[in-house]
Amino acid sequence: MLIKCLTVGQIETNCYIVADEDTLECAVIDPGDESNTILDYIEDLRLKPKYIFLTHGHFDHTMAVTAVHEETGATVCMNEKDAGAVIENAPFRFNPPADTIYYKEGDRFTVGSLTFEVLETPGHTPGGVTLKCGDCLFTGDTLFQGSCGRTDLYGGDMDVLLRSLKRLADLPGNYEVYPGHMDSTTLDRERRYNYYLKYAQDALS
């Protein structure tokens, strides 16, 4: 599995391109901006985008979706609860393509030999998801290194987010964690050092 992180846009969103190195099929996770940067990387490695996965619908994770979708033909997938999601007072509103797949808890998608499983992890937004692939978690704005997503924006709910954090903490084993912003980490590290994750475990146990 090849994982490339491209940090794009003014808010420095992590866009991940996850590819099967044998078939060159790939998924693009959260193309938040700079479509040319994303498309150039895909072209340079001769990758074959199959899906565009969205962890949630905020503008900083979706601004390049239309361009990447139209250029590659990859199918857009997101939780329907975030279709049209908007950060309060922000001018950008994301309307997904007509052929978008609205995924839900437990749905699985194959990209070459890779399997992505959808875990619903709302709280930052109503339709937030984490994508599990092998020993990797793509957590969007649910879980960060040492922190978690904010809940003071449209649709945010701290109580709901804490339940999502506990769910991630309770996953068996360790995972590489690839968040929507900032550096990657591991689930074991966050279980040990992340105040919000530890609080969620303690408060909801």
Side-chain angles (χ1 to χ4, degrees), residues 26-78:
C26 73
V28 181
I29 301 175
D30 288 351
D33 203 353
E34 301 179 34
S35 60
N36 287 342
T37 299
I38 297 167
L39 292 169
D40 285 349
Y41 178 81
I42 290 169
E43 183 178 356
D44 288 347
L45 271 68
R46 299 183 180 178
L47 300 178
K48 306 168 187 175
K50 186 175 182 181
Y51 295 111
I52 298 169
F53 293 134
L54 302 182
T55 61
H56 63 292
H58 279 162
F59 78 94
D60 57 316
H61 292 252
T62 62
M63 286 183 67
V65 170
T66 300
V68 175
H69 169 66
E70 290 178 351
E71 184 68 25
T72 66
T75 301
V76 177
C77 304
M78 69 179 298

Coordinates of all heavy atoms in Angstrom, one line a residue, residues 26-78:
C26 N -6.2 3.6 -7.1 CA -6.0 4.4 -5.9 C -7.3 5.0 -5.5 O -8.3 5.1 -6.3 CB -5.0 5.5 -6.1 SG -5.5 6.8 -7.2
A27 N -7.3 5.5 -4.2 CA -8.4 6.3 -3.7 C -7.8 7.7 -3.3 O -6.7 7.7 -2.8 CB -9.0 5.7 -2.5
V28 N -8.6 8.7 -3.6 CA -8.2 10.1 -3.2 C -9.1 10.5 -2.0 O -10.3 10.5 -2.1 CB -8.4 11.1 -4.3 CG1 -7.9 12.5 -3.8 CG2 -7.6 10.6 -5.5
I29 N -8.4 10.7 -0.8 CA -9.2 11.1 0.4 C -9.1 12.6 0.7 O -8.0 13.1 0.8 CB -8.7 10.2 1.6 CG1 -8.8 8.7 1.3 CG2 -9.4 10.6 2.9 CD1 -8.2 7.9 2.4
D30 N -10.2 13.2 0.7 CA -10.3 14.6 1.1 C -9.4 15.6 0.2 O -8.5 16.2 0.6 CB -9.9 14.9 2.5 CG -10.9 14.3 3.5 OD1 -12.0 14.0 3.1 OD2 -10.6 14.3 4.7
P31 N -9.8 15.6 -1.1 CA -9.1 16.6 -2.0 C -9.6 18.0 -1.7 O -10.6 18.5 -2.3 CB -9.5 16.1 -3.4 CG -10.8 15.4 -3.2 CD -10.8 14.8 -1.9
G32 N -8.9 18.7 -0.8 CA -9.4 19.9 -0.2 C -9.2 21.2 -1.1 O -9.8 22.2 -0.9
D33 N -8.2 21.1 -1.9 CA -7.8 22.3 -2.7 C -6.7 21.9 -3.7 O -6.2 20.7 -3.6 CB -7.4 23.4 -1.8 CG -7.5 24.8 -2.5 OD1 -7.8 24.8 -3.7 OD2 -7.3 25.8 -1.8
E34 N -6.2 22.8 -4.5 CA -5.0 22.6 -5.4 C -5.2 21.3 -6.2 O -4.4 20.4 -6.2 CB -3.8 22.5 -4.5 CG -3.5 23.8 -3.7 CD -2.3 23.7 -2.8 OE1 -1.3 23.1 -3.3 OE2 -2.3 24.3 -1.7
S35 N -6.2 21.3 -7.0 CA -6.5 20.1 -7.8 C -5.3 19.8 -8.7 O -5.1 18.6 -9.0 CB -7.8 20.3 -8.6 OG -7.7 21.4 -9.5
N36 N -4.6 20.8 -9.2 CA -3.5 20.5 -10.1 C -2.4 19.7 -9.4 O -1.8 18.8 -10.0 CB -2.9 21.8 -10.7 CG -3.8 22.5 -11.7 OD1 -4.7 21.8 -12.3 ND2 -3.6 23.8 -12.0
T37 N -2.1 20.1 -8.2 CA -1.1 19.3 -7.4 C -1.5 17.9 -7.3 O -0.7 16.9 -7.5 CB -1.0 19.9 -6.0 OG1 -0.5 21.3 -6.2 CG2 0.0 19.2 -5.2
I38 N -2.8 17.6 -7.0 CA -3.3 16.3 -6.8 C -3.3 15.5 -8.1 O -2.8 14.4 -8.2 CB -4.8 16.3 -6.2 CG1 -4.8 17.0 -4.9 CG2 -5.4 14.9 -6.2 CD1 -6.1 17.3 -4.3
L39 N -3.7 16.1 -9.2 CA -3.8 15.5 -10.5 C -2.4 15.2 -11.1 O -2.2 14.2 -11.7 CB -4.6 16.3 -11.4 CG -6.1 16.4 -11.1 CD1 -6.8 17.4 -12.0 CD2 -6.8 15.0 -11.3
D40 N -1.5 16.2 -10.8 CA -0.1 16.0 -11.3 C 0.5 14.7 -10.6 O 1.2 14.0 -11.3 CB 0.7 17.2 -11.0 CG 0.5 18.4 -11.9 OD1 -0.2 18.1 -12.9 OD2 0.9 19.5 -11.7
Y41 N 0.3 14.6 -9.3 CA 0.9 13.4 -8.6 C 0.3 12.1 -9.2 O 1.0 11.1 -9.4 CB 0.6 13.5 -7.1 CG 1.1 12.3 -6.4 CD1 2.4 12.2 -6.0 CD2 0.2 11.3 -6.0 CE1 2.9 11.1 -5.3 CE2 0.7 10.1 -5.4 CZ 2.0 10.1 -5.0 OH 2.5 9.0 -4.3
I42 N -1.0 12.1 -9.4 CA -1.7 10.9 -10.0 C -1.1 10.6 -11.3 O -0.8 9.4 -11.7 CB -3.2 11.2 -10.0 CG1 -3.8 11.2 -8.6 CG2 -3.9 10.1 -10.9 CD1 -5.2 11.7 -8.6
E43 N -1.0 11.6 -12.2 CA -0.4 11.4 -13.5 C 1.0 11.0 -13.5 O 1.4 10.1 -14.2 CB -0.6 12.7 -14.3 CG -0.1 12.6 -15.8 CD -0.3 13.8 -16.6 OE1 -0.8 14.8 -16.0 OE2 0.1 13.8 -17.8
D44 N 1.8 11.6 -12.6 CA 3.3 11.2 -12.6 C 3.5 9.8 -12.2 O 4.4 9.1 -12.7 CB 4.0 12.1 -11.5 CG 4.1 13.5 -12.0 OD1 3.9 13.8 -13.2 OD2 4.5 14.4 -11.2
L45 N 2.6 9.2 -11.3 CA 2.7 7.8 -10.9 C 1.9 6.9 -11.7 O 1.8 5.7 -11.5 CB 2.4 7.7 -9.4 CG 3.6 7.9 -8.5 CD1 4.1 9.3 -8.5 CD2 3.3 7.4 -7.1
R46 N 1.1 7.5 -12.7 CA 0.2 6.7 -13.6 C -0.8 5.9 -12.8 O -1.1 4.7 -13.1 CB 1.1 5.8 -14.5 CG 2.0 6.5 -15.4 CD 2.7 5.6 -16.3 NE 3.7 6.3 -17.2 CZ 4.5 5.8 -18.1 NH1 4.5 4.5 -18.2 NH2 5.2 6.5 -18.9
L47 N -1.3 6.5 -11.7 CA -2.3 5.9 -10.9 C -3.7 5.9 -11.6 O -3.9 6.7 -12.5 CB -2.4 6.6 -9.5 CG -1.0 6.6 -8.7 CD1 -1.2 7.4 -7.4 CD2 -0.6 5.2 -8.5
K48 N -4.5 5.1 -11.1 CA -5.9 4.9 -11.6 C -6.9 5.2 -10.5 O -7.3 4.3 -9.8 CB -6.1 3.5 -12.2 CG -5.0 3.1 -13.2 CD -5.1 1.6 -13.5 CE -4.0 1.2 -14.4 NZ -4.0 -0.3 -14.6
P49 N -7.4 6.4 -10.4 CA -8.3 6.7 -9.3 C -9.6 6.0 -9.5 O -10.3 6.1 -10.5 CB -8.5 8.3 -9.4 CG -7.2 8.7 -10.1 CD -6.9 7.6 -11.1
K50 N -10.1 5.3 -8.4 CA -11.4 4.7 -8.5 C -12.4 5.4 -7.6 O -13.6 5.5 -8.0 CB -11.2 3.2 -8.0 CG -12.5 2.4 -8.1 CD -12.2 0.9 -7.7 CE -13.4 0.1 -7.8 NZ -13.2 -1.3 -7.4
Y51 N -12.0 5.9 -6.5 CA -12.9 6.6 -5.6 C -12.3 7.9 -5.1 O -11.1 8.0 -4.9 CB -13.3 5.7 -4.4 CG -14.0 4.4 -4.7 CD1 -13.4 3.2 -4.5 CD2 -15.3 4.5 -5.1 CE1 -14.1 2.0 -4.8 CE2 -16.0 3.3 -5.4 CZ -15.4 2.1 -5.2 OH -16.1 1.0 -5.5
I52 N -13.2 8.8 -4.8 CA -12.8 10.0 -4.0 C -13.6 9.9 -2.7 O -14.8 9.9 -2.7 CB -13.2 11.3 -4.7 CG1 -12.4 11.4 -6.0 CG2 -13.0 12.5 -3.8 CD1 -12.9 12.5 -6.9
F53 N -12.9 9.6 -1.6 CA -13.6 9.4 -0.3 C -13.5 10.7 0.5 O -12.4 11.3 0.6 CB -12.9 8.3 0.5 CG -13.0 6.9 0.0 CD1 -11.9 6.1 -0.1 CD2 -14.2 6.4 -0.4 CE1 -12.0 4.8 -0.6 CE2 -14.3 5.2 -0.9 CZ -13.2 4.3 -1.0
L54 N -14.6 11.1 1.1 CA -14.7 12.3 1.9 C -14.9 11.9 3.4 O -15.9 11.2 3.7 CB -15.7 13.3 1.4 CG -15.6 13.8 0.0 CD1 -16.7 14.7 -0.4 CD2 -14.3 14.4 -0.3
T55 N -14.1 12.4 4.3 CA -14.3 12.2 5.7 C -15.4 13.0 6.2 O -16.0 12.7 7.2 CB -13.0 12.4 6.5 OG1 -12.6 13.7 6.4 CG2 -11.9 11.5 6.0
H56 N -15.6 14.2 5.6 CA -16.7 15.0 6.0 C -16.9 16.1 4.9 O -16.1 16.2 4.0 CB -16.6 15.6 7.4 CG -15.4 16.5 7.6 ND1 -14.1 16.1 7.6 CD2 -15.4 17.9 7.8 CE1 -13.3 17.1 7.8 NE2 -14.0 18.2 7.9
G57 N -17.9 17.0 5.1 CA -18.2 17.9 4.0 C -17.8 19.3 4.1 O -18.2 20.1 3.3
H58 N -16.9 19.6 5.0 CA -16.4 21.0 5.1 C -15.6 21.4 3.9 O -15.0 20.6 3.3 CB -15.6 21.2 6.4 CG -16.4 21.4 7.6 ND1 -15.9 21.2 8.9 CD2 -17.8 21.7 7.8 CE1 -16.9 21.4 9.8 NE2 -18.0 21.8 9.1
F59 N -15.7 22.7 3.6 CA -15.1 23.3 2.4 C -13.6 22.9 2.3 O -13.1 22.7 1.2 CB -15.3 24.8 2.3 CG -14.4 25.6 3.1 CD1 -13.2 26.1 2.6 CD2 -14.7 25.9 4.5 CE1 -12.4 26.9 3.4 CE2 -13.8 26.6 5.3 CZ -12.7 27.1 4.7
D60 N -12.9 22.9 3.4 CA -11.4 22.7 3.3 C -11.0 21.3 2.9 O -9.9 21.0 2.7 CB -10.7 23.2 4.5 CG -11.2 22.5 5.8 OD1 -12.4 22.4 5.9 OD2 -10.4 22.2 6.6
H61 N -12.0 20.4 2.9 CA -11.8 19.0 2.5 C -12.5 18.7 1.1 O -12.4 17.5 0.7 CB -12.4 18.1 3.6 CG -11.6 18.1 4.8 ND1 -10.7 17.1 5.3 CD2 -11.5 19.1 5.8 CE1 -10.2 17.5 6.4 NE2 -10.7 18.7 6.8
T62 N -13.1 19.6 0.5 CA -13.9 19.3 -0.7 C -13.7 20.2 -1.9 O -14.3 20.0 -2.9 CB -15.4 19.4 -0.3 OG1 -15.8 20.7 0.1 CG2 -15.8 18.4 0.8
M63 N -12.9 21.3 -1.7 CA -12.8 22.3 -2.8 C -12.3 21.8 -4.1 O -12.6 22.4 -5.2 CB -12.0 23.5 -2.3 CG -12.8 24.4 -1.3 SD -11.9 25.8 -0.8 CE -11.9 26.8 -2.3
A64 N -11.5 20.7 -4.1 CA -11.0 20.2 -5.3 C -11.8 18.9 -5.8 O -11.4 18.3 -6.8 CB -9.5 19.8 -5.2
V65 N -12.8 18.6 -5.1 CA -13.6 17.4 -5.5 C -14.1 17.4 -6.9 O -13.9 16.5 -7.7 CB -14.8 17.1 -4.5 CG1 -15.7 16.0 -5.1 CG2 -14.3 16.8 -3.2
T66 N -14.7 18.5 -7.3 CA -15.3 18.6 -8.7 C -14.3 18.4 -9.7 O -14.4 17.6 -10.7 CB -16.1 19.9 -8.8 OG1 -17.1 20.0 -7.8 CG2 -16.7 20.0 -10.2
A67 N -13.1 19.1 -9.6 CA -12.1 19.0 -10.6 C -11.5 17.6 -10.7 O -11.3 17.1 -11.8 CB -11.0 20.0 -10.3
V68 N -11.2 17.0 -9.6 CA -10.6 15.7 -9.6 C -11.6 14.7 -10.1 O -11.3 13.8 -10.9 CB -10.1 15.3 -8.2 CG1 -9.6 13.8 -8.2 CG2 -9.0 16.2 -7.7
H69 N -12.9 14.8 -9.7 CA -13.9 13.9 -10.2 C -14.1 14.0 -11.8 O -14.1 13.0 -12.5 CB -15.3 14.3 -9.5 CG -16.5 13.6 -10.1 ND1 -16.7 12.3 -10.1 CD2 -17.5 14.2 -10.8 CE1 -17.9 12.0 -10.7 NE2 -18.4 13.1 -11.1
E70 N -14.2 15.2 -12.3 CA -14.4 15.4 -13.7 C -13.2 15.0 -14.5 O -13.3 14.4 -15.6 CB -14.7 16.9 -14.0 CG -16.0 17.3 -13.4 CD -16.3 18.8 -13.7 OE1 -15.4 19.5 -14.1 OE2 -17.5 19.2 -13.5
E71 N -12.0 15.2 -14.0 CA -10.7 14.8 -14.7 C -10.5 13.3 -14.7 O -10.0 12.7 -15.7 CB -9.5 15.5 -14.1 CG -8.2 15.3 -14.8 CD -8.2 15.9 -16.2 OE1 -9.0 16.9 -16.5 OE2 -7.5 15.4 -17.1
T72 N -10.8 12.6 -13.6 CA -10.5 11.2 -13.5 C -11.6 10.3 -13.6 O -11.4 9.1 -13.9 CB -9.8 10.9 -12.1 OG1 -10.8 11.2 -11.1 CG2 -8.6 11.9 -11.8
G73 N -12.9 10.8 -13.4 CA -14.0 9.9 -13.4 C -14.2 9.1 -12.2 O -15.1 8.2 -12.1
A74 N -13.4 9.3 -11.1 CA -13.5 8.6 -9.9 C -14.8 8.9 -9.2 O -15.3 10.0 -9.3 CB -12.3 8.9 -9.0
T75 N -15.4 7.9 -8.6 CA -16.7 8.0 -7.9 C -16.5 8.7 -6.6 O -15.7 8.3 -5.7 CB -17.3 6.6 -7.7 OG1 -17.5 6.0 -9.0 CG2 -18.7 6.8 -7.0
V76 N -17.3 9.7 -6.3 CA -17.3 10.4 -5.0 C -18.1 9.7 -4.0 O -19.3 9.2 -4.3 CB -17.8 11.9 -5.2 CG1 -17.9 12.6 -3.8 CG2 -17.0 12.6 -6.2
C77 N -17.6 9.5 -2.8 CA -18.3 8.8 -1.7 C -18.3 9.7 -0.5 O -17.2 10.2 -0.1 CB -17.6 7.5 -1.4 SG -17.5 6.4 -2.8
M78 N -19.4 9.8 0.2 CA -19.5 10.6 1.4 C -20.7 10.2 2.2 O -21.6 9.5 1.7 CB -19.5 12.1 1.2 CG -20.8 12.6 0.5 SD -20.8 14.4 0.2 CE -20.7 15.0 1.8

